[in-house]
Amino acid sequence: MLKQRFKASKTLTSVALVAVAGFGMNATAQAQTERLAFSGGPDGGTFQYFSNGIATRLSRNMEGVEVSNMASAGSVENLRRVNSRDADFGIVYSGDMYLGLNGKLTNDTRKYRNAQAISYLYGAPAHLIVLDGSGITDVSQLEGKNIAVGPAGSGAAASAQRFFEGVGLWDKISPQYIGYNQGASALGDRQIDALWVFAGFPNASVIQAASSNKVRLLQVYEAAEQGTLFNDHPYYAKVTIPADTYPGVDYDVVTVQDSALWVAGRHLSEARVYDTLKEIFSDDGLKFMYSVSQAAEAMTVEDGTLGIVTPMHDGAKKFWTEQGKTLTEVQQ
């Protein structure tokens, strides 16, 4: 009887030791997994597609890393989350990065210095559309005209004000605060003279306007360069909408855009940020991102630092320098 009890006790002790050892290995594995958070955007929005895609790719392909995707109100909330370490990655417009770094966000004078850009993702370019038979071929001819600029308080309306102030016309036009679809219809009905759309291309409202009438897209960049836009708002970048993007527009349109940037917290190590960029900007990583969103086709190694006018993370500086990019003084 005593021998049986001893054997049973010995067996239980062995099981217990194995269990403890197993728990220890699991705990070690969990401790070795770096859990990171990516702050994206509203459900169904472009930001959320990008953040979910990047988070999924990194979690699947980087050993010891698990990235969770977080819903968000968008650019400014992402900036604040990454800055406060509530998130490790986020997507932020270049304009908000610049304004946040300099304490110039609307009703917010804090300076957000812990969030740093690591790459360009895609852009939101300006479209300035008139009817082809209107006789308007240049931005300067819009003086005294009715222009749909987007709903009051929208990013489109804010960008329109910045542009027209930069070319000295804001006080000389009549802005109409209506949405893109309504603006496209109003242009076709001759209720307005021009339509401002600040969104990725091809844009459905611009297609609507161009399909119903023969339209002209004005050369926005040329006018902006002659004015003060780039001095006042250096985060705007030059971009070309290729010929035939829209019906009847058989010429390149050179315009300006704000840029959606992938940002990381300064608290992340140089090696971690370098490795994440290396994974996403690999051939397979980019193919995966292109399958996630059409807008991701703007992601290329060639344009990896486009639109960044604030300091970059050390890991990003190392990665892009190795890719042959010459960083600006501000990016460094």
Side-chain angles (χ1 to χ4, degrees):
M1 192 69 175
L2 286 172
K3 287 182 179 180
Q4 289 178 342
R5 286 181 181 174
F6 176 76
K7 287 180 180 179
S9 176
K10 190 173 181 180
T11 301
L12 288 171
T13 301
S14 299
V15 171
L17 288 172
V18 170
V20 169
F23 175 79
M25 287 189 291
N26 288 336
T28 301
Q30 289 178 359
Q32 290 175 345
T33 299
E34 186 175 11
R35 302 185 186 282
L36 305 174
F38 200 127
S39 190
D43 288 337
T46 306
F47 274 23
Q48 190 72 336
Y49 285 118
F50 272 80
S51 63
N52 187 54
I54 294 173
T56 299
R57 180 75 189 181
L58 295 179
S59 297
R60 287 178 183 172
N61 291 274
M62 290 185 65
E63 187 176 350
V65 173
E66 185 176 318
V67 185
S68 59
N69 181 43
M70 303 168 66
S72 161
S75 178
V76 174
E77 182 173 3
N78 294 342
L79 173 63
R80 290 170 175 154
R81 281 180 176 175
V82 174
N83 188 77
S84 64
R85 299 193 182 190
D86 290 332
D88 302 285
F89 297 115
I91 302 175
V92 182
Y93 279 121
S94 183
D96 290 329
M97 285 289 289
Y98 176 83
L99 296 171
L101 179 67
N102 292 285
K104 294 181 179 180
L105 286 172
T106 304
N107 300 320
D108 185 355
T109 58
R110 285 175 292 177
K111 295 184 177 181
Y112 295 86
R113 293 172 174 162
N114 294 326
Q116 297 180 315
I118 65 174
S119 83
Y120 169 82
L121 295 178
Y122 68 96
H127 303 66
L128 188 51
I129 307 110
V130 297
L131 293 176
D132 192 53
S134 65
I136 299 172
T137 58
D138 188 82
V139 171
S140 62
Q141 295 174 286
L142 292 173
E143 181 175 345
K145 304 299 186 182
N146 294 312
I147 304 174
V149 297
S154 67
S159 65
Q161 182 171 348
R162 292 168 189 155
F163 170 72
F164 284 109
E165 283 178 344
V167 298
L169 287 177
W170 182 248
D171 295 331
K172 300 175 183 178
I173 63 170
S174 297
Q176 307 298 308
Y177 294 98
I178 57 177
Y180 294 158
N181 289 341
Q182 187 180 352
S185 298
L187 182 68
D189 293 337
R190 276 70 173 173
Q191 295 173 344
I192 58 172
D193 301 292
L195 170 64
W196 172 271
V197 173
F198 203 74
F201 62 84
N203 175 265
S205 298
V206 181
I207 292 174
Q208 175 188 336
S211 299
S212 304
N213 303 273
K214 184 161 179 55
V215 301
R216 173 179 293 276
L217 268 65
L218 301 183
Q219 301 293 340
V220 170
Y221 176 79
E222 182 180 348
E225 192 177 33
Q226 294 172 0
T228 62
L229 180 73
F230 295 114
N231 289 329
D232 299 337
H233 306 282
Y235 44 86
Y236 284 123
K238 178 181 180 181
V239 67
T240 299
I241 301 174
D244 300 317
T245 297
Y246 296 106
V249 183
D250 57 359
Y251 47 87
D252 288 348
V253 178
V254 186
T255 184
V256 301
Q257 69 172 17
D258 200 348
S259 304
L261 306 179
W262 180 7
V263 305
R266 193 164 56 177
H267 61 276
L268 291 179
S269 70
E270 176 182 314
R272 176 58 70 216
V273 170
Y274 175 90
D275 288 343
T276 59
L277 286 168
K278 188 175 181 180
E279 172 58 38
I280 295 299
F281 281 89
S282 66
D283 289 343
D284 288 342
L286 288 175
K287 286 178 184 177
F288 175 79
M289 290 305 299
Y290 298 163
S291 73
V292 168
S293 171
Q294 183 179 354
E297 293 177 7
M299 291 177 64
T300 64
V301 171
E302 182 182 1
D303 288 337
T305 59
L306 182 69
I308 300 175
V309 293
T310 50
M312 298 180 71
H313 193 285
D314 286 343
K317 288 188 281 189
K318 178 182 177 182
F319 177 79
W320 292 114
T321 299
E322 287 184 1
Q323 301 305 310
K325 305 297 293 182
T326 300
L327 304 183
T328 67
E329 185 177 345
V330 170
Q331 290 171 346
Q332 295 180 27

